[in-house]
Amino acid sequence: MTTTLPCPPLPVVHTTRHGAILCITVDNPPVNALSTAVRRGLFEAVQRADADDQVAAVLIVGEGANFIAGADIREFGQAPQLPSLPEVCNRIEDCGKPVVTVLRGAALGGGLEVALAAHYRVVLRDAKLGLPEVNLGLLPGAGGTQRAPRIMGVKAAAELMLSGKHLSSKAALAAGLVDHLAEGEDAVQAGLAYVNALLNTKAHVRRSRKRSIDDPAAALAELDLLAAETASKSRGLLSPLKIVECVRAAVESSFDEGLAKERALFLECLDSPQRAGLVHAFFAEREVTKVPEANACSPRPVAKLAVIGGGTMGAGITVAALEAGLPVVMVERDPESIARGQANVEKVFNGQIAKGRLTEEGKASILARYTPSTSYESIADADLVIEAVFEDIEIKKAVFKKLDRVCKPGAVLATNTSYLDIDAIAGAIGRPQDVVGLHFFSPANIMKLLEIVVPAQVSADVVATAFALARKMKKTPVRAGVCDGFIGNRILAVYRQAAEYMLEDGASPYEIDEAVRGFGYPMGPFQMSDLAGGDIGWATRKRRAATRDPRARYVHVADRICERGWFGQKTGRGWYLYPQGARSGQADPEVLAIVDEERRKAGVTPRPFNADEIMRRYMAAMVNEGAKVVEEGIALRPLDVDVTFLCGYGFPRHRGGPMKYADTVGLPIVLADIRNFAEEDPLFWKPAPLLEKLVAEGKDFASLNRTGE
Ligand code: 3H9
């Protein structure tokens, strides 16, 4: 009888000798993150090299396309294991023999900190260097806040940490962060050449902890300015403020005191719900791309795109596709309309030129991929067509019938509708298997979210094609089922309604907006409506009027405002006043008078609301509808709802999305609120059965995100 023994795990750190040089390779796919095993391996390998008389120098490289992408984010929140990353970095720096790192691909966070602790740094051309911990609610916690200012200067280091941005190899060399930019693609070869040169010149170890800060007084003055700017921009975020504190310690204290400060503040950030929310957002944005159709089949090739409609959405989609390198034919119904469509496209690029982000030549080379047309025949060879015409089902069906006539077999036919029944659109033509929803958000060339709406008859490879297109266009795709409003707009309609009820019950639109901003949104729902145009919501309300439950409460204030032609910023007034085209609005006493009048008509005696109550109701409505959307399979998992709101609706990222937020608050508390509110209005505040079930079982939404359990 033969027994199969489990394979021993492959070593995540291995060493090879090249004469007197010991090469340590971190080999932990996919991105060589610094897991416990990697930290142990690195620590022990450096320890052994230090003690080995045959070793004269150490080289550290990463296997594959990356050096090291940082600490293993999956380990955050688990019991800490030794050695810690600061200990590993200190061990590297303490090595008595020169330690050289070669950086390629990602050298981020803890990965860059390993390199900063080494004595010399070489980069290959494709390297991207950064300390992006701030994006995860953290600060560089393995000496980065102390070593980077000593190596590249206080201001540049603080800006690198506060922005979370990556530096190219050239920029890193110019900033003094690395010593040498090597040609070629072989990290080991480049490293060996550099180490040999060092050994030939008898170069010594060079510890960044020993470096002093240039002109500390000037550095502190710069830091004061950065601190003030950070405090005003941080909108309740903890880690940017802590980063500034650590950098200040780098200037004012000894290296060891600075390290101790960094450790204490890092642990504080690590424990914060902000870190948990941001890490959830990081993984959720990657999980959303893992959908059954994309796993099961290959996408159809897409080399040529067509967009029907040159309005705001059509032009935005066209720009996004052109920027992704795709050739695009834009179709409009007549010469005047296509001229407007082309002008809309050019306006975006002209704006980029005005801001210095694009040159005239750059614009010309992008527009070389753009073909305006008034003939559907011109898109006969398109691989994928996106319809972005007026939001009316009959108009859309007519467009799809034309597409059915002219498009080649196998072309993907997508609609950019935000609410309409895509099953009905697909059912109107002879190839429903090719029809999918691609719901872009405005401005489509900027907003990350792309809802990929999956109608009943669509074939799986069309869905896979939509996900591949999203990747090419650098969008964050979320799979949604067909219903009125899909994931995002369906949930928005409900919490918007909760806001209107509070408005009629006594909160002013300005108090509601302020509470929502206080929660971390860039703007409140009434400001948002003024920005988007009140007429859009008005049209939706009119469309839904026929199917609205006659027992449901209806607040008329928004209609009264729209009836006056007050559609928001574009008309100079809406919920707010915008004198002389101002972008930020002022409270409008006439709006408050309309609100009072509607309260009187509805027989409501207004009562005060504080920010806490406003947010409890606003979030309870959002979470309850989110649970219904998950339960009905409109969203695959709670995390898909989270990503929709993070990437398309301005939900504060550090709270991780509405479903993550509900888990943080505790589902029993959210459900108790809903039951409490239901005493006033049981029809609106009907608890989602999924929420009740989870509470009864003592589970949270996160339990539904863990697939395969
Ligand atoms: C830190 O370092 C703290 C220290 O200062 C102090 C410690 C004491 N860990 O994005 P992709 C996974 S904080 C674990 O799709 P790309 C990712 O989930 C850290 N996993 O590829 C995905 O997994 P899956 C500071 C990680 O090519 C797969 O790798 N570092 C990590 O578009 C591929 O990722 C950062 O913030 C990680 N650190 O982009 C860098 N990184 O296939 C974070 C990635 O199962 N990472 N994964 O879905 C990134 O920015 C990008 O992932 C990177 C690659 C640019 C590296």
Side-chain angles (χ1 to χ4, degrees):
M1 194 180 90
T2 54
T3 36
T4 316
L5 292 169
C7 293
L10 292 170
V12 288
V13 174
H14 44 83
T15 55
T16 41
R17 279 288 290 276
H18 302 263
I21 303 169
L22 181 84
C23 178
I24 304 176
T25 303
V26 177
D27 185 2
N28 185 26
V31 293
N32 296 330
L34 292 153
S35 62
T36 303
V38 171
R39 296 197 306 276
R40 271 184 201 146
L42 261 177
F43 191 95
E44 283 163 14
V46 174
Q47 184 106 317
R48 275 200 308 275
D50 217 2
D52 187 340
D53 291 342
Q54 306 297 309
V55 173
V58 177
L59 177 63
I60 305 178
V61 297
E63 181 66 44
N66 297 298
F67 176 61
I68 298 170
D72 188 338
I73 303 171
R74 288 182 200 277
E75 287 184 358
F76 293 155
Q78 297 176 9
Q81 303 287 330
L82 294 177
S84 68
L85 193 54
E87 286 168 325
V88 174
C89 290
N90 290 342
R91 185 66 197 83
I92 292 171
E93 190 173 57
D94 288 344
C95 185
K97 296 154 187 184
V99 182
V100 175
T101 49
V102 183
L103 314 182
R104 65 166 315 174
L108 300 173
L112 184 56
E113 290 176 295
V114 164
L116 298 181
H119 306 137
Y120 299 91
R121 288 160 289 282
V122 175
V123 272
L124 301 191
R125 281 214 175 265
D126 71 347
K128 45 186 179 189
L129 290 73
L131 293 168
E133 286 86 345
V134 70
N135 297 331
L136 300 173
L138 290 169
L139 50 87
T145 64
Q146 305 304 301
R147 292 191 178 96
R150 286 172 162 81
I151 295 173
M152 68 191 301
V154 168
K155 186 161 182 254
E159 282 171 351
L160 185 68
M161 292 180 239
L162 289 169
S163 70
K165 285 190 182 148
H166 302 166
L167 292 181
S168 67
S169 50
K170 265 189 174 170
L173 186 68
L177 200 54
V178 297
D179 302 293
H180 176 63
L181 172 57
E183 293 304 332
E185 292 182 0
D186 188 324
V188 177
Q189 287 312 318
L192 289 176
Y194 192 80
V195 180
N196 278 318
L198 283 181
L199 292 176
N200 286 341
T201 55
K202 306 229 175 331
H204 292 295
V205 300
R206 195 186 56 170
R207 299 191 172 102
S208 23
R209 64 158 65 216
K210 297 281 181 209
R211 293 206 196 177
S212 53
I213 302 270
D214 291 339
D215 197 351
L220 281 178
E222 282 175 339
L223 207 52
D224 284 342
L225 289 178
L226 262 181
E229 203 183 301
T230 307
S232 80
K233 280 202 309 202
S234 66
R235 280 217 307 240
L237 285 181
L238 193 71
S239 68
L241 306 172
K242 305 286 172 195
I243 287 173
V244 175
E245 257 189 79
C246 288
V247 179
R248 191 179 294 283
V251 184
E252 290 179 335
S253 319
S254 71
F255 182 83
D256 288 332
E257 284 165 350
L259 267 194
K261 175 106 190 167
E262 178 193 86
R263 186 71 185 155
L265 296 185
F266 176 81
L267 293 176
E268 218 177 279
C269 291
L270 190 66
D271 269 350
S272 79
Q274 295 188 353
R275 191 277 302 158
L278 288 164
V279 168
H280 172 77
F282 176 88
F283 285 120
E285 278 172 358
R286 284 155 178 83
E287 282 306 302
V288 281
T289 61
K290 297 171 190 163
V291 299
E293 295 88 350
N295 290 341
C297 39
S298 309
R300 297 181 187 175
V302 175
K304 190 168 177 189
L305 209 87
V307 174
I308 313 295
T312 310
M313 281 315 292
I317 296 167
T318 301
V319 169
L322 290 171
E323 286 182 334
L326 285 161
V328 183
V329 181
M330 176 191 271
V331 179
E332 262 291 2
R333 54 178 181 259
D334 52 43
E336 240 172 59
S337 312
I338 193 65
R340 230 184 352 258
Q342 176 155 357
N344 285 340
V345 168
E346 292 205 29
K347 197 168 134 199
V348 176
F349 294 122
N350 292 342
Q352 294 179 4
I353 292 174
K355 286 185 188 142
R357 294 194 195 137
L358 186 70
T359 59
E360 286 290 350
E361 299 76 61
K363 174 184 161 188
S365 87
I366 294 173
L367 285 181
R369 292 193 288 277
Y370 170 75
T371 312
S373 171
T374 52
S375 146
Y376 274 72
E377 271 64 35
S378 63
I379 59 168
D381 62 343
D383 302 302
L384 192 146
V385 185
I386 304 172
E387 163 280 308
V389 302
F390 190 68
E391 190 75 346
D392 176 294
I393 189 115
E394 293 313 321
I395 297 176
K396 293 203 187 261
K397 280 184 187 169
V399 167
F400 270 78
K401 283 183 184 149
K402 283 189 202 161
L403 295 178
D404 197 7
R405 219 180 50 238
V406 301
C407 290
K408 67 180 184 186
V412 173
L413 308 180
T415 170
N416 175 52
T417 180
S418 13
Y419 286 96
L420 300 176
D421 181 354
I422 303 182
D423 283 324
I425 296 173
I429 65 168
R431 37 172 135 171
Q433 73 281 0
D434 295 332
V435 177
V436 70
L438 287 181
H439 180 208
F440 289 84
F441 286 69
S442 186
N445 55 311
I446 305 233
M447 294 294 286
K448 283 276 167 228
L449 180 63
L450 176 60
E451 274 183 312
I452 294 181
V453 191
V454 179
Q457 297 189 61
V458 68
S459 63
D461 67 342
V462 167
V463 180
T465 309
F467 274 84
L469 179 73
R471 190 174 173 85
K472 190 158 176 67
M473 291 174 83
K474 297 200 170 64
K475 298 290 176 198
T476 306
V478 174
R479 186 191 188 283
V482 176
C483 68
D484 194 337
F486 318 129
I487 299 177
N489 283 344
R490 171 170 158 178
I491 297 174
L492 165 73
V494 176
Y495 65 81
R496 226 358 266 225
Q497 229 173 320
E500 308 257 331
Y501 294 164
M502 288 189 274
L503 174 76
E504 195 172 67
D505 286 339
S508 82
Y510 315 120
E511 285 169 331
I512 295 172
D513 278 350
E514 196 183 337
V516 171
R517 283 195 307 273
F519 184 79
Y521 273 91
M523 60 179 82
F526 297 100
Q527 286 174 294
M528 188 62 220
S529 156
D530 273 3
L531 179 69
D535 46 332
I536 296 177
W538 196 25
T540 307
R541 290 195 297 280
K542 285 188 209 162
R543 178 170 57 78
R544 286 183 173 158
T547 52
R548 198 165 34 236
D549 186 335
R551 295 166 303 158
R553 180 178 175 188
Y554 187 77
V555 176
H556 295 269
V557 179
D559 293 349
R560 295 292 99 88
I561 288 178
C562 288
E563 283 156 13
R564 288 167 167 78
W566 300 351
F567 296 147
Q569 288 190 16
K570 63 184 172 190
T571 56
R573 68 192 300 181
W575 294 96
Y576 292 79
L577 282 169
Y578 303 91
Q580 280 108 41
R583 298 189 95 192
S584 67
Q586 298 167 0
D588 183 349
E590 284 188 59
V591 165
L592 295 178
I594 295 170
V595 174
D596 277 343
E597 173 65 11
E598 289 304 317
R599 285 176 186 153
R600 203 185 46 73
K601 280 198 227 156
V604 172
T605 310
R607 68 176 180 86
F609 282 79
N610 63 27
D612 179 56
E613 183 174 1
I614 290 171
M615 286 320 296
R616 282 183 98 121
R617 286 174 180 259
Y618 200 72
M619 287 311 304
M622 198 183 300
V623 170
N624 200 37
E625 193 64 14
K628 291 177 188 170
V629 158
V630 172
E631 188 165 23
E632 291 169 27
I634 299 297
L636 281 182
R637 300 146 295 196
L639 67 82
D640 297 77
V641 176
D642 285 338
V643 173
T644 302
F645 281 86
L646 291 172
C647 298
Y649 294 79
F651 194 92
R653 195 173 168 85
H654 66 274
R655 297 192 188 267
M659 312 311 265
K660 171 72 183 171
Y661 173 74
D663 277 354
T664 310
V665 170
L667 298 193
I669 293 176
V670 177
L671 181 60
D673 272 353
I674 293 170
R675 287 187 172 141
N676 204 3
F677 306 148
E679 286 177 17
E680 303 154 12
D681 184 349
L683 192 65
F684 180 73
W685 292 106
K686 207 179 280 165
L690 176 65
L691 182 58
E692 291 181 313
K693 180 169 172 281
L694 288 171
V695 170
E697 293 172 356
K699 292 185 177 161
D700 57 10
F701 286 127
S703 66
L704 304 176
N705 289 333
R706 293 177 206 122
T707 45
E709 276 182 21

